[in-house]
């Protein structure tokens, strides 16, 4: 970004101003100066960035999709539609690029945080030398707030112990309300306010109908009203990233019902219909070709009757989730209008941090953790749960075919940075004070890193070269404001590289060289020989959808672009290329809070401990010991729990009886109930889990003791091999998030007094081969959903 001359400081914080008053021996003869207050440049707009998750070019109605999105429509009518805008093809990297204005590898986020390693482009630790736009705006007089998904905190820095340097409130945001990680249960989210764990507050009368999508909008609306009530002249910056439409696709039934029966045509026909709508709307050039279905994706007609029923319901639910998301963003925009700020609010509504997700498997899932742990859900089981899809008892994801359809007219999708199905995500910009209504379509080639310099130019703020004492890497994006008034303005971004998990491409002056490398996006393991890669070549200023590979016709151009890719890769810390996925989730590659520990002691109030930082009780014998005080009137509630509706275990008291329950992916539940009721006074409850051995995911015998007396024994026929969930946690004294057991509603706190909970892990009973397989499954389950 060229550092244009502006009146704001290029060092942040700005040097303290010189005192201009007069100081005498007493106040009587002294003269005051004014205490300085930092103010934004005159006319600086409010800014809101809306970032949708896992979303394809052909998903929203505004861009030709079948799902009506009236609120995006109205923003588009008020401004500009960028149809050649691009992301990185994956979550954390796109967010790092968006907020810093640097390429994702430059911001040390070459992949999701769960796969980070020590190579400079891949640590997952956004460096202080790439200050976020939030910090720049905050130190130039803005109020800043972040609502929604934060997938840019390293896994080992997400506990109560911190450090909190890479949390939003240390990266320039005055306020944060949202979740940390790749995905969230919409019914039972694990939320944080700033750095403090909180529970979602459900309005009275909305029980069973209120989800995270609504909660985030409510909090953003509350912030807007309060901020403009107190400081009406101070601009705000809002980063609104709801986590929708990432799996699990949770949404109230009232929304799902609106789409019943609307997707019976299947994904092959959906793509053709969407393609025609896109042409009719002028969103794609009239000569654009519709790319064919890859042979690896089944045709709609090849599905069985049950598979079609399930796929339809999963898509209806996804459509409902998309429509609800549009509605909730609309409410936030309504609040801006309510406080009379629409005119001078610069809106960036980015439709996806990558293409639609192809990680739901070929036929979709009711509980995605089951498939992520290596099991296949049968269609007839899914049919049995058909009406539950989208509800609090589900954890659903749609089939690959629907994701492919959402990415019309392009090839592939999320993760695949080589092709536009993974990286071309449309952007809508409005700013009534500066952009004329119905200004129309913009086809200049742009990228996420261009949003920060656009904001700085719009606000007349100088790009700083020093922030909080740290020299800054130059911003690598360019401002898009040159295109605001001129649809035919010559694009100013000549070159942009793409790389994700070995998939790579390079854009230069209307050409794209692309290489889809090895692994399919719904597969999670394996490495492929880079020397055997095949490159394709597209003239994208004439071939919008990358339909016609002209590599054989222009071999010298392909060679030129491949060489340019390596130059860009060296420049921006892309190397070394690494195509591994599950394998890179090996915990030994990153710091760990539990490595080598076999004994754990937790005290009351220890909640929301990430599964990766909690004792790993899987595939081994272990003992859980709870020391507590039972009050005279007795007490029920959860003593210790891990996991949630997906899978997990819980030790709780109900009707004065201790109960141990093991939830195997909601398909089987095993209980051991104490034969005796607890008596008032000091008490020790111990659960011994003796693992059967003979491989991973085997069963075990559970024996329960109260004050050293045996009070129960039972079997757990099969256990979870890898991960209970992608977002649930380990809790003492309650069960936060969704409930492990159907016997209670979360959080179900224990009403007595817990002194401590001790967990002792026995040596693993697995062979080296089994240990390796379990690690693969753990890594797969930990990262695949992200």
């Amino acid at each position: 970004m060229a550092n244009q001359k502006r009146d704001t400081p290029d060092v942040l914080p700005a040097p303290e101003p010189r005192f201009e008053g007069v100081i005498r021996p007493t106040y009587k003869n002294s003269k005051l100066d004014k205490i300085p207050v930092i103010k934004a440049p005159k006319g600086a707009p409010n800014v809101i960035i809306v970032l949708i998750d896992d979303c394809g070019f052909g998903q929203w109605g505004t861009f030709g999709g079948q799902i009506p999105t009236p609120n995006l429509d109205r923003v588009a009518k008020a401004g500009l539609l960028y149809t050649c805008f691009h992301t990185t093809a994956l979550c954390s990297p796109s967010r790092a690029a968006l907020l810093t204005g640097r390429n994702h590898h430059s911001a040390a986020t070459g992949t999701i945080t769960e796969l980070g390693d020590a190579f400079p482009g891949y640590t997952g630790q956004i460096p202080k030398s790439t200050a976020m736009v939030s910090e720049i705006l905050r130190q130039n007089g803005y109020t800043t707030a972040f609502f929604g998904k934060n997938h840019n905190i390293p896994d080992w820095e997400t506990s109560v112990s911190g450090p909190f340097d890479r949390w939003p409130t240390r990266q320039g945001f005055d306020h944060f309300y949202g979740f940390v990680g790749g995905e969230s249960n919409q019914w039972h989210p694990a939320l944080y306010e700033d750095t403090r764990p909180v529970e979602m507050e459900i309005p009275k009368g909305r029980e069973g109908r209120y989800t995270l999508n609504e909660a985030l909008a409510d909090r953003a609306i509350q912030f807007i009203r309060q901020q403009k009530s107190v400081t009406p002249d101070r601009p705000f910056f809002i980063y609104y990233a709801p986590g929708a439409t990432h799996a699990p696709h949770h949404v109230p039934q009232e929304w799902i019902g609106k789409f019943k029966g609307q997707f019976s045509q299947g994904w092959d026909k959906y793509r053709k219909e969407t393609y025609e709508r896109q042409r009719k709307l002028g969103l794609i050039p009239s000569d654009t070709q519709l790319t064919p279905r890859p042979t690896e994706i089944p045709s709609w007609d090849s599905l069985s009757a049950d598979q079609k029923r399930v796929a339809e319901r999963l898509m209806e639910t996804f459509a409902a989730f998309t429509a609800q998301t549009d509605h909730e963003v609309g409410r936030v925009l309504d609040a801006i209008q309510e406080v009379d700020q629409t005119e001078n609010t610069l809106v960036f509504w980015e439709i996806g941090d990558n293409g639609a997700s192809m990680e739901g498997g070929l036929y979709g899932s009711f509980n995605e953790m089951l498939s992520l742990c290596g099991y296949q859900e049968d269609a007839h089981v899914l049919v049995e749960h058909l009406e539950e899809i989208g509800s609090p008892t589900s954890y659903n994801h749609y089939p690959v075919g629907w994701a492919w359809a959402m990415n019309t007219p392009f090839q592939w999708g999320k993760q695949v940075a080589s092709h536009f199905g993974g990286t071309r995500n449309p952007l809508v910009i409005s700013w009534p004070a500066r952009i004329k209504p119905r200004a129309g379509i913009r086809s200049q080639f742009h990228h996420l890193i261009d949003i920060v310099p656009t904001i700085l130019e719009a606000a007349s703020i100088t790009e700083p070269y020093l922030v909080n004492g740290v020299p800054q890497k130059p911003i690598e994006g360019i401002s898009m404001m040159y295109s605001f008034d001129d649809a035919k303005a010559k694009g100013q971004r000549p070159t942009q590289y793409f790389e994700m998990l070995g998939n790579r491409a390079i854009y230069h002056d209307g050409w794209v060289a692309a290489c889809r490398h090895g692994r399919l996006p719904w597969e999670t393991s394996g490495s492929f020989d880079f020397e055997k890669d095949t490159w394709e070549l597209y003239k994208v200023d004439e071939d919008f959808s990358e339909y016609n590979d002209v590599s054989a016709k222009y071999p010298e151009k392909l060679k030129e672009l491949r060489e340019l890719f390596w130059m860009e890769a060296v420049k921006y810390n892309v190397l070394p290329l690494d195509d591994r996925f599950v394998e890179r989730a090996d915990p030994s590659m990153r710091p760990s809070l539990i490595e080598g520990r076999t004994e754990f002691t937790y005290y009351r109030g220890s909640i929301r401990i990430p599964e990766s930082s909690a004792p790993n009780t899987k595939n081994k014998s272990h003992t859980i010991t709870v020391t507590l005080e039972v009050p005279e009137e007795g007490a029920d509630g959860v003593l210790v729990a891990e996991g949630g509706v997906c899978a997990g275990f819980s030790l709780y008291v109900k009707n004065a009886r201790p109960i141990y329950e093991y939830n195997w992916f909601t398909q089987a539940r095993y209980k051991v109930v104490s034969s005796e009721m607890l008596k008032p006074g000091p008490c020790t409850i111990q659960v011994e889990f003796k693992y059967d051995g003979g491989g991973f995911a085997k069963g075990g015998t559970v024996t329960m003791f109260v004050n050293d007396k045996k009070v129960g024994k039972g079997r757990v026929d099969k256990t979870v091999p890898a991960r209970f969930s992608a977002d649930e946690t380990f809790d003492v004294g309650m069960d936060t998030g969704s409930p492990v057991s159907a016997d209670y509603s979360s959080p179900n706190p224990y009403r007595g007094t817990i002194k401590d909970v001790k967990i002792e892990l026995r040596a693993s009973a697995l062979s080296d081969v089994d240990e390796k397989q379990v690690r693969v499954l753990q890594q797969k389950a930990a990262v695949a959903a992200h």
Side-chain angles (χ1 to χ4, degrees):
M1 171 185 171
N3 204 345
Q4 297 173 321
K5 182 64 178 175
R6 295 167 190 156
D7 292 334
T8 58
D10 56 9
V11 173
L12 298 176
E16 292 186 9
R18 180 181 174 181
F19 178 72
E20 298 293 344
V22 177
I23 299 177
R24 300 298 186 205
T26 71
Y27 73 91
K28 291 183 178 180
N29 298 319
S30 299
K31 184 178 179 181
L32 284 173
D33 191 9
K34 290 186 177 181
I35 296 174
V37 175
I38 297 173
K39 294 185 177 181
K42 185 177 181 180
N46 304 301
V47 180
I48 178 170
I49 298 175
V50 178
L51 180 63
I52 306 301
D53 206 331
D54 282 7
C55 188
F57 191 95
Q59 179 175 326
W60 290 54
T62 310
F63 289 91
Q66 188 177 319
I67 306 165
T69 48
N71 290 289
L72 182 60
D73 288 348
R74 65 163 159 147
V75 177
K77 289 175 182 176
L80 302 167
L81 296 81
Y82 285 80
T83 57
C84 294
F85 195 82
H86 301 84
T87 60
T88 72
L90 199 58
C91 177
S92 307
S94 285
R95 292 158 198 271
L98 169 63
L99 290 171
T100 67
R102 283 86 169 182
N103 285 299
H104 53 304
H105 296 91
S106 288
T109 315
T111 184
I112 55 174
T113 56
E114 292 84 354
L115 302 184
D117 58 36
F119 290 112
Y122 295 92
T123 66
Q125 297 179 299
I126 296 176
K128 296 182 186 299
S129 59
T130 60
M132 290 186 178
V133 66
S134 47
E135 182 70 1
I136 298 171
L137 294 179
R138 186 184 68 83
Q139 295 202 41
N140 277 283
Y142 274 72
T143 306
T144 57
F146 181 164
F147 301 96
K149 169 176 169 174
N150 187 327
H151 199 190
N152 291 106
I153 303 175
D155 198 36
W156 62 94
E157 295 183 359
T158 58
S159 76
V160 67
S161 296
F164 296 105
D165 299 60
R166 276 169 280 273
W167 283 63
T169 50
R170 300 264 186 102
Q171 292 176 320
F173 287 101
D174 297 315
H175 307 280
F176 170 61
Y177 179 80
F179 65 94
V180 173
E183 67 182 36
S184 175
N185 188 313
Q186 293 285 312
W187 296 103
H188 299 281
L191 295 175
Y192 291 87
E193 186 159 9
D194 299 333
T195 61
R196 181 174 60 91
V198 295
E199 294 298 304
M200 182 171 73
E201 297 178 5
I202 301 175
K204 189 174 181 179
R206 298 299 310 280
E207 296 84 357
R209 297 187 296 116
Y210 191 80
T211 61
L212 178 59
N213 240 351
E214 295 164 277
L216 292 172
D218 284 345
R219 290 300 289 263
I221 291 167
Q222 180 185 48
F223 165 79
I224 291 165
R225 290 170 177 167
Q226 290 183 339
Q227 196 267 350
K228 288 304 175 186
S229 295
V230 177
T231 52
D233 296 327
R234 181 182 298 172
F236 60 67
F237 170 63
I238 296 174
Y239 175 43
Y240 190 82
T245 51
H246 195 295
H249 304 147
H250 285 155
V251 64
Q253 179 60 44
E254 63 205 61
W255 283 97
I256 299 174
K258 297 172 188 263
F259 294 92
K260 188 171 181 60
Q262 292 191 22
F263 297 95
S264 59
Q265 78 272 43
W267 47 69
D268 293 294
K269 190 173 180 181
Y270 177 99
R271 268 182 71 96
K272 294 177 182 177
E273 293 170 347
T274 299
Y275 164 71
E276 292 299 336
R277 284 192 294 266
Q278 290 170 338
R279 291 179 63 196
K280 184 176 181 180
L281 291 168
L283 295 162
I284 62 177
S286 59
D287 60 354
T288 300
Q289 298 293 307
L290 180 61
T291 57
R293 173 171 41 80
T295 56
E296 296 89 345
I297 298 176
S299 69
W300 179 260
D301 290 342
S302 71
L303 271 58
S304 70
D306 278 351
Q307 288 171 335
K308 287 181 178 179
R309 286 184 65 194
V310 169
E312 280 187 53
R313 170 69 183 205
L314 289 168
M315 182 58 212
E316 291 165 4
T317 305
F318 181 73
F321 195 23
T322 302
Q324 184 208 31
T325 302
D326 175 80
H327 175 75
E328 296 304 328
V329 175
R331 290 178 56 222
V332 175
L333 298 178
D334 288 343
I336 294 173
Q337 186 170 14
E338 174 190 310
V339 296
D340 197 27
Q341 294 292 318
T342 298
E343 182 73 11
N344 198 34
T345 296
L346 173 57
V347 178
F348 297 88
W349 193 337
E350 169 60 351
I351 308 302
D353 53 351
N354 41 248
S357 170
M358 308 183 95
E359 298 155 342
L362 294 178
Y363 304 106
S365 59
F366 176 73
N367 181 347
E368 70 169 344
M369 290 308 299
L370 189 67
S371 60
L372 296 179
C373 283
Y375 300 94
Q376 181 65 48
E377 285 183 297
D378 292 330
H380 75 273
V381 174
L382 285 161
V383 169
E384 290 176 4
H385 292 283
L386 205 63
E387 296 306 313
E388 296 176 59
I389 288 172
S391 77
T393 61
S394 68
Y395 211 82
N396 47 294
H397 201 327
Y398 64 176
V400 168
W402 281 125
W404 169 68
M406 296 303 103
N407 294 324
T408 303
F410 306 120
Q411 303 181 54
W412 300 107
K414 180 182 177 181
Q415 296 187 30
V416 186
S418 55
H419 290 81
F420 287 159
T423 62
R424 183 161 279 183
N425 292 92
L427 170 70
V428 173
I429 300 178
S430 75
W431 183 12
R434 176 66 177 76
I435 298 173
K436 298 175 182 178
R438 299 183 182 274
I441 293 170
R442 296 293 183 269
S443 57
Q444 293 86 355
F445 195 102
H446 279 288
H447 188 274
L448 281 171
I449 60 175
D450 299 332
I451 287 180
V452 168
T454 305
I455 293 171
L456 297 185
E457 183 179 355
S460 297
I461 290 174
T462 304
E463 176 189 349
Y465 71 86
L466 195 72
V467 177
N468 299 329
V470 180
Q472 295 294 294
K473 290 183 179 180
I475 288 176
E476 294 159 3
I478 63 168
S479 173
M480 297 184 288
M481 280 190 66
Y482 74 92
S483 66
F484 282 8
D485 297 324
D486 186 359
K488 297 181 179 180
K490 180 177 173 57
Q492 295 183 10
R493 168 166 292 289
T495 306
Q496 179 62 46
Y497 83 89
F498 299 88
E499 192 282 333
M500 189 60 61
L501 303 165
N503 297 304
R504 52 207 189 276
I506 183 80
Y507 167 83
H508 184 68
D509 288 343
W511 294 85
V512 166
C515 174
R516 190 184 71 79
H517 173 82
R519 184 178 55 80
L520 294 166
W522 54 92
E523 297 173 340
T524 55
S525 61
S527 181
F528 298 83
D529 189 349
F530 284 95
E531 296 299 321
K532 295 181 179 179
D533 281 341
T534 299
W535 284 76
E536 301 162 3
L537 181 67
Y538 300 97
K539 189 76 168 70
V540 293
D541 55 2
E542 300 174 359
D543 180 12
F544 184 85
S545 64
E546 297 181 314
Y547 177 86
N548 186 24
D549 175 13
V550 294
S551 57
K553 186 175 180 180
Y554 300 103
E556 289 304 312
K557 174 59 71 172
L558 179 59
K559 180 182 177 182
E560 172 194 331
L561 291 183
R562 290 181 63 177
E563 290 174 351
L564 180 58
F565 173 83
W566 289 113
M567 293 171 64
E568 297 291 287
V570 171
K571 181 179 180 180
Y572 294 115
N573 284 341
V574 178
L575 305 181
L577 298 179
D578 192 341
D579 61 344
R580 296 171 299 162
F581 194 74
V582 163
E583 296 83 355
R584 291 165 75 179
D586 183 347
S588 67
M589 299 173 74
R590 289 165 297 283
S592 169
L593 301 184
I594 60 172
E595 184 177 4
R597 296 175 61 188
T598 59
E599 296 182 357
F600 301 80
T601 301
Y602 296 96
Y603 304 99
R604 63 175 178 263
S606 299
I607 61 169
R608 297 278 290 276
I609 297 172
E611 188 170 345
S612 60
S613 298
N616 182 11
T617 59
K618 304 172 192 74
N619 307 301
K620 59 177 70 70
S621 297
H622 56 276
T623 302
I624 303 171
T625 305
V626 182
T627 304
L628 67 154
E629 183 82 21
V630 180
E632 285 296 326
E633 67 276 14
D636 287 355
V638 174
L639 303 176
V640 58
E642 184 174 19
V645 68
C646 290
F649 72 84
S650 180
L651 176 58
Y652 57 99
V653 180
K654 184 175 183 180
N655 298 325
R657 295 180 188 274
I659 301 171
Y660 175 86
E661 181 170 343
Y662 195 96
N663 170 10
W664 191 84
F665 299 115
T666 68
Q667 294 195 8
R669 296 179 181 272
Y670 307 97
K671 290 183 183 179
V672 175
V673 182
S674 172
S675 60
E676 298 186 8
M677 300 173 68
L678 298 180
K679 298 177 181 179
C683 179
T684 299
I685 302 172
Q686 188 173 78
V687 172
E688 291 185 353
F689 191 108
K690 186 175 181 181
Y691 188 65
D692 290 344
F696 60 87
K698 303 301 182 183
T701 300
V702 177
T703 307
M704 184 184 294
F705 301 86
V706 172
N707 295 330
D708 296 325
K709 179 181 179 181
K710 180 179 174 181
V711 294
K713 187 174 183 178
R715 287 283 303 166
V716 173
D717 292 334
K718 49 190 175 182
T719 59
V720 172
R723 290 274 298 203
F724 291 133
S725 78
D727 63 333
E728 301 280 359
T729 56
F730 176 94
D731 303 299
V732 170
M734 64 179 67
D735 183 1
T736 67
S738 65
V740 172
S741 172
D743 277 357
Y744 58 80
S745 298
S746 291
N748 192 28
Y750 180 65
R751 301 300 180 182
T753 302
I754 296 174
K755 179 184 177 184
D756 59 41
V757 174
K758 297 180 184 294
I759 296 182
E760 184 178 355
L761 306 179
R762 305 286 190 264
S764 173
L766 301 183
S767 67
D768 290 344
V769 173
D770 286 335
E771 283 280 13
K772 183 176 180 180
Q773 179 64 16
V774 166
R775 282 198 299 272
V776 169
L777 289 173
Q778 287 174 336
Q779 294 156 14
K780 176 181 179 180
V783 303
H786 306 320

